[in-house]
PDB file of all heavy atoms in Angstrom:
ATOM      1  N   ALA A  12      21.943  20.422   1.212  1.00 82.00           N
ATOM      2  CA  ALA A  12      22.426  19.205   1.860  1.00 82.00           C
ATOM      3  C   ALA A  12      23.898  19.044   1.518  1.00 82.00           C
ATOM      4  O   ALA A  12      24.337  19.424   0.425  1.00 82.00           O
ATOM      5  CB  ALA A  12      21.641  17.984   1.387  1.00 82.00           C
ATOM      6  N   PRO A  13      24.709  18.493   2.436  1.00 83.00           N
ATOM      7  CA  PRO A  13      26.112  18.231   2.128  1.00 83.00           C
ATOM      8  C   PRO A  13      26.240  17.296   0.932  1.00 83.00           C
ATOM      9  O   PRO A  13      25.343  16.491   0.657  1.00 83.00           O
ATOM     10  CB  PRO A  13      26.637  17.580   3.420  1.00 83.00           C
ATOM     11  CG  PRO A  13      25.711  18.043   4.489  1.00 83.00           C
ATOM     12  CD  PRO A  13      24.368  18.158   3.827  1.00 83.00           C
ATOM     13  N   PRO A  14      27.368  17.357   0.222  1.00 86.00           N
ATOM     14  CA  PRO A  14      27.525  16.570  -1.003  1.00 86.00           C
ATOM     15  C   PRO A  14      27.892  15.115  -0.770  1.00 86.00           C
ATOM     16  O   PRO A  14      28.290  14.432  -1.709  1.00 86.00           O
ATOM     17  CB  PRO A  14      28.655  17.305  -1.737  1.00 86.00           C
ATOM     18  CG  PRO A  14      29.483  17.894  -0.644  1.00 86.00           C
ATOM     19  CD  PRO A  14      28.508  18.272   0.439  1.00 86.00           C
ATOM     20  N   SER A  15      27.775  14.629   0.460  1.00 89.00           N
ATOM     21  CA  SER A  15      28.101  13.227   0.725  1.00 89.00           C
ATOM     22  C   SER A  15      27.119  12.298   0.025  1.00 89.00           C
ATOM     23  O   SER A  15      27.517  11.307  -0.607  1.00 89.00           O
ATOM     24  CB  SER A  15      28.094  12.966   2.237  1.00 89.00           C
ATOM     25  OG  SER A  15      26.897  13.439   2.826  1.00 89.00           O
ATOM     26  N   GLY A  16      25.819  12.607   0.131  1.00 87.00           N
ATOM     27  CA  GLY A  16      24.812  11.773  -0.501  1.00 87.00           C
ATOM     28  C   GLY A  16      23.584  11.622   0.374  1.00 87.00           C
ATOM     29  O   GLY A  16      23.462  12.242   1.433  1.00 87.00           O
ATOM     30  N   ILE A  17      22.663  10.786  -0.067  1.00 89.00           N
ATOM     31  CA  ILE A  17      21.395  10.545   0.615  1.00 89.00           C
ATOM     32  C   ILE A  17      21.288   9.062   0.942  1.00 89.00           C
ATOM     33  O   ILE A  17      21.601   8.199   0.118  1.00 89.00           O
ATOM     34  CB  ILE A  17      20.203  10.963  -0.272  1.00 89.00           C
ATOM     35  CG1 ILE A  17      20.224  12.473  -0.519  1.00 89.00           C
ATOM     36  CG2 ILE A  17      18.879  10.538   0.345  1.00 89.00           C
ATOM     37  CD1 ILE A  17      19.966  13.321   0.703  1.00 89.00           C
ATOM     38  N   ILE A  18      20.851   8.770   2.165  1.00 92.00           N
ATOM     39  CA  ILE A  18      20.531   7.396   2.555  1.00 92.00           C
ATOM     40  C   ILE A  18      19.012   7.318   2.700  1.00 92.00           C
ATOM     41  O   ILE A  18      18.417   8.033   3.509  1.00 92.00           O
ATOM     42  CB  ILE A  18      21.232   7.008   3.866  1.00 92.00           C
ATOM     43  CG1 ILE A  18      22.755   6.990   3.653  1.00 92.00           C
ATOM     44  CG2 ILE A  18      20.748   5.645   4.353  1.00 92.00           C
ATOM     45  CD1 ILE A  18      23.540   6.682   4.901  1.00 92.00           C
ATOM     46  N   ASN A  19      18.399   6.464   1.890  1.00 92.00           N
ATOM     47  CA  ASN A  19      16.941   6.357   1.845  1.00 92.00           C
ATOM     48  C   ASN A  19      16.502   4.982   2.334  1.00 92.00           C
ATOM     49  O   ASN A  19      17.087   3.961   1.956  1.00 92.00           O
ATOM     50  CB  ASN A  19      16.438   6.584   0.418  1.00 92.00           C
ATOM     51  CG  ASN A  19      14.931   6.446   0.317  1.00 92.00           C
ATOM     52  OD1 ASN A  19      14.196   7.007   1.127  1.00 92.00           O
ATOM     53  ND2 ASN A  19      14.459   5.695  -0.665  1.00 92.00           N
ATOM     54  N   MET A  20      15.473   4.970   3.181  1.00 94.00           N
ATOM     55  CA  MET A  20      14.918   3.717   3.702  1.00 94.00           C
ATOM     56  C   MET A  20      13.457   3.604   3.259  1.00 94.00           C
ATOM     57  O   MET A  20      12.674   4.530   3.467  1.00 94.00           O
ATOM     58  CB  MET A  20      15.004   3.696   5.229  1.00 94.00           C
ATOM     59  CG  MET A  20      16.426   3.694   5.760  1.00 94.00           C
ATOM     60  SD  MET A  20      16.520   4.212   7.491  1.00 94.00           S
ATOM     61  CE  MET A  20      16.237   5.980   7.303  1.00 94.00           C
ATOM     62  N   THR A  21      13.107   2.486   2.648  1.00 94.00           N
ATOM     63  CA  THR A  21      11.752   2.247   2.163  1.00 94.00           C
ATOM     64  C   THR A  21      11.060   1.236   3.067  1.00 94.00           C
ATOM     65  O   THR A  21      11.621   0.178   3.362  1.00 94.00           O
ATOM     66  CB  THR A  21      11.781   1.717   0.716  1.00 94.00           C
ATOM     67  OG1 THR A  21      12.458   2.662  -0.114  1.00 94.00           O
ATOM     68  CG2 THR A  21      10.379   1.526   0.189  1.00 94.00           C
ATOM     69  N   THR A  22       9.850   1.564   3.518  1.00 96.00           N
ATOM     70  CA  THR A  22       9.157   0.702   4.478  1.00 96.00           C
ATOM     71  C   THR A  22       8.480  -0.489   3.792  1.00 96.00           C
ATOM     72  O   THR A  22       8.120  -0.435   2.615  1.00 96.00           O
ATOM     73  CB  THR A  22       8.103   1.504   5.254  1.00 96.00           C
ATOM     74  OG1 THR A  22       7.232   2.170   4.327  1.00 96.00           O
ATOM     75  CG2 THR A  22       8.760   2.553   6.134  1.00 96.00           C
ATOM     76  N   LYS A  23       8.293  -1.545   4.569  1.00 96.00           N
ATOM     77  CA  LYS A  23       7.513  -2.687   4.107  1.00 96.00           C
ATOM     78  C   LYS A  23       6.045  -2.292   4.006  1.00 96.00           C
ATOM     79  O   LYS A  23       5.559  -1.482   4.783  1.00 96.00           O
ATOM     80  CB  LYS A  23       7.631  -3.848   5.103  1.00 96.00           C
ATOM     81  CG  LYS A  23       8.999  -4.471   5.244  1.00 96.00           C
ATOM     82  CD  LYS A  23       8.964  -5.554   6.312  1.00 96.00           C
ATOM     83  CE  LYS A  23      10.294  -6.229   6.512  1.00 96.00           C
ATOM     84  NZ  LYS A  23      10.250  -7.239   7.607  1.00 96.00           N
ATOM     85  N   ARG A  24       5.338  -2.927   3.059  1.00 95.00           N
ATOM     86  CA  ARG A  24       3.912  -2.668   2.894  1.00 95.00           C
ATOM     87  C   ARG A  24       3.172  -3.997   2.758  1.00 95.00           C
ATOM     88  O   ARG A  24       3.780  -5.049   2.504  1.00 95.00           O
ATOM     89  CB  ARG A  24       3.653  -1.788   1.671  1.00 95.00           C
ATOM     90  CG  ARG A  24       4.589  -0.580   1.536  1.00 95.00           C
ATOM     91  CD  ARG A  24       3.909   0.569   0.839  1.00 95.00           C
ATOM     92  NE  ARG A  24       2.946   1.216   1.713  1.00 95.00           N
ATOM     93  CZ  ARG A  24       3.272   2.125   2.650  1.00 95.00           C
ATOM     94  NH1 ARG A  24       4.514   2.484   2.828  1.00 95.00           N
ATOM     95  NH2 ARG A  24       2.337   2.669   3.408  1.00 95.00           N
ATOM     96  N   ALA A  25       1.871  -3.943   2.936  1.00 95.00           N
ATOM     97  CA  ALA A  25       1.060  -5.153   2.800  1.00 95.00           C
ATOM     98  C   ALA A  25       1.137  -5.668   1.369  1.00 95.00           C
ATOM     99  O   ALA A  25       1.098  -4.893   0.406  1.00 95.00           O
ATOM    100  CB  ALA A  25      -0.383  -4.856   3.179  1.00 95.00           C
ATOM    101  N   GLU A  26       1.243  -6.980   1.237  1.00 92.00           N
ATOM    102  CA  GLU A  26       1.330  -7.617  -0.063  1.00 92.00           C
ATOM    103  C   GLU A  26       0.043  -8.372  -0.375  1.00 92.00           C
ATOM    104  O   GLU A  26      -0.882  -8.433   0.449  1.00 92.00           O
ATOM    105  CB  GLU A  26       2.539  -8.561  -0.077  1.00 92.00           C
ATOM    106  CG  GLU A  26       3.860  -7.855   0.241  1.00 92.00           C
ATOM    107  CD  GLU A  26       5.007  -8.829   0.417  1.00 92.00           C
ATOM    108  OE1 GLU A  26       4.746 -10.054   0.426  1.00 92.00           O
ATOM    109  OE2 GLU A  26       6.153  -8.371   0.567  1.00 92.00           O
ATOM    110  N   SER A  27      -0.016  -8.962  -1.557  1.00 90.00           N
ATOM    111  CA  SER A  27      -1.235  -9.682  -1.948  1.00 90.00           C
ATOM    112  C   SER A  27      -1.465 -10.906  -1.072  1.00 90.00           C
ATOM    113  O   SER A  27      -2.608 -11.283  -0.815  1.00 90.00           O
ATOM    114  CB  SER A  27      -1.134 -10.099  -3.418  1.00 90.00           C
ATOM    115  OG  SER A  27       0.041 -10.875  -3.637  1.00 90.00           O
ATOM    116  N   GLU A  28      -0.381 -11.509  -0.572  1.00 93.00           N
ATOM    117  CA  GLU A  28      -0.491 -12.649   0.321  1.00 93.00           C
ATOM    118  C   GLU A  28      -0.251 -12.197   1.762  1.00 93.00           C
ATOM    119  O   GLU A  28       0.632 -11.376   2.017  1.00 93.00           O
ATOM    120  CB  GLU A  28       0.521 -13.733  -0.053  1.00 93.00           C
ATOM    121  CG  GLU A  28       0.306 -14.334  -1.428  1.00 93.00           C
ATOM    122  CD  GLU A  28      -1.006 -15.098  -1.517  1.00 93.00           C
ATOM    123  OE1 GLU A  28      -1.421 -15.670  -0.483  1.00 93.00           O
ATOM    124  OE2 GLU A  28      -1.597 -15.131  -2.609  1.00 93.00           O
ATOM    125  N   PRO A  29      -1.021 -12.729   2.722  1.00 95.00           N
ATOM    126  CA  PRO A  29      -0.814 -12.350   4.128  1.00 95.00           C
ATOM    127  C   PRO A  29       0.582 -12.739   4.609  1.00 95.00           C
ATOM    128  O   PRO A  29       1.176 -13.711   4.140  1.00 95.00           O
ATOM    129  CB  PRO A  29      -1.906 -13.133   4.868  1.00 95.00           C
ATOM    130  CG  PRO A  29      -2.918 -13.468   3.833  1.00 95.00           C
ATOM    131  CD  PRO A  29      -2.168 -13.636   2.550  1.00 95.00           C
ATOM    132  N   VAL A  30       1.102 -11.960   5.568  1.00 95.00           N
ATOM    133  CA  VAL A  30       2.411 -12.207   6.161  1.00 95.00           C
ATOM    134  C   VAL A  30       2.224 -12.367   7.664  1.00 95.00           C
ATOM    135  O   VAL A  30       1.563 -11.544   8.306  1.00 95.00           O
ATOM    136  CB  VAL A  30       3.384 -11.048   5.874  1.00 95.00           C
ATOM    137  CG1 VAL A  30       4.691 -11.244   6.637  1.00 95.00           C
ATOM    138  CG2 VAL A  30       3.641 -10.919   4.384  1.00 95.00           C
ATOM    139  N   ALA A  31       2.774 -13.427   8.221  1.00 96.00           N
ATOM    140  CA  ALA A  31       2.776 -13.643   9.670  1.00 96.00           C
ATOM    141  C   ALA A  31       4.134 -14.234  10.023  1.00 96.00           C
ATOM    142  O   ALA A  31       4.409 -15.405   9.749  1.00 96.00           O
ATOM    143  CB  ALA A  31       1.651 -14.573  10.099  1.00 96.00           C
ATOM    144  N   PHE A  32       4.982 -13.421  10.616  1.00 94.00           N
ATOM    145  CA  PHE A  32       6.382 -13.801  10.843  1.00 94.00           C
ATOM    146  C   PHE A  32       6.770 -13.460  12.274  1.00 94.00           C
ATOM    147  O   PHE A  32       6.487 -12.365  12.771  1.00 94.00           O
ATOM    148  CB  PHE A  32       7.268 -13.042   9.849  1.00 94.00           C
ATOM    149  CG  PHE A  32       8.743 -13.195  10.075  1.00 94.00           C
ATOM    150  CD1 PHE A  32       9.422 -14.292   9.577  1.00 94.00           C
ATOM    151  CD2 PHE A  32       9.456 -12.236  10.778  1.00 94.00           C
ATOM    152  CE1 PHE A  32      10.787 -14.433   9.773  1.00 94.00           C
ATOM    153  CE2 PHE A  32      10.823 -12.363  10.976  1.00 94.00           C
ATOM    154  CZ  PHE A  32      11.481 -13.469  10.484  1.00 94.00           C
ATOM    155  N   MET A  33       7.404 -14.415  12.934  1.00 96.00           N
ATOM    156  CA  MET A  33       7.932 -14.191  14.276  1.00 96.00           C
ATOM    157  C   MET A  33       9.362 -14.705  14.322  1.00 96.00           C
ATOM    158  O   MET A  33       9.669 -15.753  13.753  1.00 96.00           O
ATOM    159  CB  MET A  33       7.080 -14.904  15.334  1.00 96.00           C
ATOM    160  CG  MET A  33       5.655 -14.396  15.429  1.00 96.00           C
ATOM    161  SD  MET A  33       4.713 -15.275  16.713  1.00 96.00           S
ATOM    162  CE  MET A  33       5.616 -14.763  18.187  1.00 96.00           C
ATOM    163  N   GLN A  34      10.229 -13.948  15.016  1.00 94.00           N
ATOM    164  CA  GLN A  34      11.635 -14.332  15.054  1.00 94.00           C
ATOM    165  C   GLN A  34      12.253 -13.916  16.385  1.00 94.00           C
ATOM    166  O   GLN A  34      11.938 -12.842  16.919  1.00 94.00           O
ATOM    167  CB  GLN A  34      12.405 -13.674  13.904  1.00 94.00           C
ATOM    168  CG  GLN A  34      13.870 -14.042  13.836  1.00 94.00           C
ATOM    169  CD  GLN A  34      14.582 -13.292  12.723  1.00 94.00           C
ATOM    170  OE1 GLN A  34      14.501 -12.075  12.646  1.00 94.00           O
ATOM    171  NE2 GLN A  34      15.255 -14.015  11.849  1.00 94.00           N
ATOM    172  N   THR A  35      13.099 -14.752  16.919  1.00 94.00           N
ATOM    173  CA  THR A  35      13.912 -14.399  18.076  1.00 94.00           C
ATOM    174  C   THR A  35      15.369 -14.616  17.716  1.00 94.00           C
ATOM    175  O   THR A  35      15.718 -15.584  17.026  1.00 94.00           O
ATOM    176  CB  THR A  35      13.548 -15.252  19.303  1.00 94.00           C
ATOM    177  OG1 THR A  35      13.738 -16.639  18.991  1.00 94.00           O
ATOM    178  CG2 THR A  35      12.113 -15.007  19.725  1.00 94.00           C
ATOM    179  N   THR A  36      16.226 -13.709  18.139  1.00 92.00           N
ATOM    180  CA  THR A  36      17.657 -13.808  17.879  1.00 92.00           C
ATOM    181  C   THR A  36      18.412 -13.546  19.167  1.00 92.00           C
ATOM    182  O   THR A  36      17.892 -12.933  20.114  1.00 92.00           O
ATOM    183  CB  THR A  36      18.100 -12.795  16.807  1.00 92.00           C
ATOM    184  OG1 THR A  36      17.764 -11.461  17.255  1.00 92.00           O
ATOM    185  CG2 THR A  36      17.407 -13.049  15.479  1.00 92.00           C
ATOM    186  N   GLY A  37      19.650 -13.993  19.209  1.00 92.00           N
ATOM    187  CA  GLY A  37      20.488 -13.776  20.376  1.00 92.00           C
ATOM    188  C   GLY A  37      21.957 -13.842  20.003  1.00 92.00           C
ATOM    189  O   GLY A  37      22.317 -14.292  18.907  1.00 92.00           O
ATOM    190  N   THR A  38      22.798 -13.360  20.892  1.00 90.00           N
ATOM    191  CA  THR A  38      24.252 -13.401  20.692  1.00 90.00           C
ATOM    192  C   THR A  38      24.903 -14.055  21.900  1.00 90.00           C
ATOM    193  O   THR A  38      24.292 -14.208  22.967  1.00 90.00           O
ATOM    194  CB  THR A  38      24.828 -11.990  20.507  1.00 90.00           C
ATOM    195  OG1 THR A  38      24.778 -11.286  21.764  1.00 90.00           O
ATOM    196  CG2 THR A  38      24.053 -11.200  19.465  1.00 90.00           C
ATOM    197  N   ASP A  39      26.187 -14.419  21.742  1.00 90.00           N
ATOM    198  CA  ASP A  39      26.910 -15.047  22.840  1.00 90.00           C
ATOM    199  C   ASP A  39      27.263 -14.052  23.941  1.00 90.00           C
ATOM    200  O   ASP A  39      27.761 -14.442  25.004  1.00 90.00           O
ATOM    201  CB  ASP A  39      28.177 -15.740  22.332  1.00 90.00           C
ATOM    202  CG  ASP A  39      29.081 -14.814  21.553  1.00 90.00           C
ATOM    203  OD1 ASP A  39      28.709 -13.637  21.349  1.00 90.00           O
ATOM    204  OD2 ASP A  39      30.171 -15.258  21.136  1.00 90.00           O
ATOM    205  N   HIS A  40      27.025 -12.742  23.700  1.00 89.00           N
ATOM    206  CA  HIS A  40      27.255 -11.748  24.752  1.00 89.00           C
ATOM    207  C   HIS A  40      26.058 -11.607  25.680  1.00 89.00           C
ATOM    208  O   HIS A  40      26.160 -11.004  26.745  1.00 89.00           O
ATOM    209  CB  HIS A  40      27.572 -10.384  24.135  1.00 89.00           C
ATOM    210  CG  HIS A  40      28.831 -10.365  23.334  1.00 89.00           C
ATOM    211  ND1 HIS A  40      30.052 -10.738  23.839  1.00 89.00           N
ATOM    212  CD2 HIS A  40      29.058 -10.012  22.036  1.00 89.00           C
ATOM    213  CE1 HIS A  40      30.981 -10.613  22.905  1.00 89.00           C
ATOM    214  NE2 HIS A  40      30.399 -10.186  21.806  1.00 89.00           N
ATOM    215  N   GLY A  41      24.908 -12.115  25.260  1.00 89.00           N
ATOM    216  CA  GLY A  41      23.720 -12.019  26.091  1.00 89.00           C
ATOM    217  C   GLY A  41      22.628 -11.133  25.543  1.00 89.00           C
ATOM    218  O   GLY A  41      21.585 -10.954  26.185  1.00 89.00           O
ATOM    219  N   SER A  42      22.812 -10.577  24.341  1.00 92.00           N
ATOM    220  CA  SER A  42      21.739  -9.813  23.700  1.00 92.00           C
ATOM    221  C   SER A  42      20.670 -10.768  23.181  1.00 92.00           C
ATOM    222  O   SER A  42      20.983 -11.879  22.732  1.00 92.00           O
ATOM    223  CB  SER A  42      22.287  -8.982  22.532  1.00 92.00           C
ATOM    224  OG  SER A  42      23.145  -7.964  22.970  1.00 92.00           O
ATOM    225  N   TYR A  43      19.414 -10.344  23.208  1.00 94.00           N
ATOM    226  CA  TYR A  43      18.346 -11.120  22.615  1.00 94.00           C
ATOM    227  C   TYR A  43      17.243 -10.164  22.162  1.00 94.00           C
ATOM    228  O   TYR A  43      17.016  -9.111  22.750  1.00 94.00           O
ATOM    229  CB  TYR A  43      17.792 -12.163  23.584  1.00 94.00           C
ATOM    230  CG  TYR A  43      17.402 -11.631  24.940  1.00 94.00           C
ATOM    231  CD1 TYR A  43      16.125 -11.110  25.183  1.00 94.00           C
ATOM    232  CD2 TYR A  43      18.316 -11.632  25.991  1.00 94.00           C
ATOM    233  CE1 TYR A  43      15.762 -10.615  26.429  1.00 94.00           C
ATOM    234  CE2 TYR A  43      17.970 -11.146  27.242  1.00 94.00           C
ATOM    235  CZ  TYR A  43      16.706 -10.635  27.451  1.00 94.00           C
ATOM    236  OH  TYR A  43      16.354 -10.144  28.685  1.00 94.00           O
ATOM    237  N   THR A  44      16.577 -10.552  21.055  1.00 95.00           N
ATOM    238  CA  THR A  44      15.577  -9.686  20.430  1.00 95.00           C
ATOM    239  C   THR A  44      14.410 -10.529  19.936  1.00 95.00           C
ATOM    240  O   THR A  44      14.607 -11.626  19.408  1.00 95.00           O
ATOM    241  CB  THR A  44      16.191  -8.914  19.237  1.00 95.00           C
ATOM    242  OG1 THR A  44      17.284  -8.128  19.686  1.00 95.00           O
ATOM    243  CG2 THR A  44      15.157  -8.005  18.594  1.00 95.00           C
ATOM    244  N   GLY A  45      13.200  -9.984  20.090  1.00 96.00           N
ATOM    245  CA  GLY A  45      12.015 -10.593  19.517  1.00 96.00           C
ATOM    246  C   GLY A  45      11.398  -9.672  18.472  1.00 96.00           C
ATOM    247  O   GLY A  45      11.340  -8.458  18.668  1.00 96.00           O
ATOM    248  N   HIS A  46      10.962 -10.242  17.355  1.00 96.00           N
ATOM    249  CA  HIS A  46      10.428  -9.457  16.238  1.00 96.00           C
ATOM    250  C   HIS A  46       9.163 -10.116  15.706  1.00 96.00           C
ATOM    251  O   HIS A  46       9.139 -11.319  15.445  1.00 96.00           O
ATOM    252  CB  HIS A  46      11.491  -9.350  15.131  1.00 96.00           C
ATOM    253  CG  HIS A  46      10.999  -8.706  13.873  1.00 96.00           C
ATOM    254  ND1 HIS A  46      11.513  -9.003  12.622  1.00 96.00           N
ATOM    255  CD2 HIS A  46      10.036  -7.763  13.659  1.00 96.00           C
ATOM    256  CE1 HIS A  46      10.889  -8.285  11.716  1.00 96.00           C
ATOM    257  NE2 HIS A  46       9.983  -7.529  12.314  1.00 96.00           N
TER     258      HIS A  46
END
């Protein structure tokens, strides 16, 4: 691997307490996202 380095991403996992999350976002340019 090149000597620049490693970028590592760790995923979310189920926790002891239930998770229920909903979110919508938008920008003044007209982008919008639902999660």
Side-chain angles (χ1 to χ4, degrees):
S15 51
I17 295 293
I18 295 177
N19 179 47
M20 295 161 286
T21 302
T22 54
K23 294 177 180 177
R24 315 210 74 81
E26 302 172 353
S27 56
E28 297 295 328
V30 173
F32 173 83
M33 296 181 65
Q34 182 183 52
T35 59
T36 58
T38 71
D39 55 357
H40 297 304
S42 293
Y43 51 87
T44 301
H46 173 209

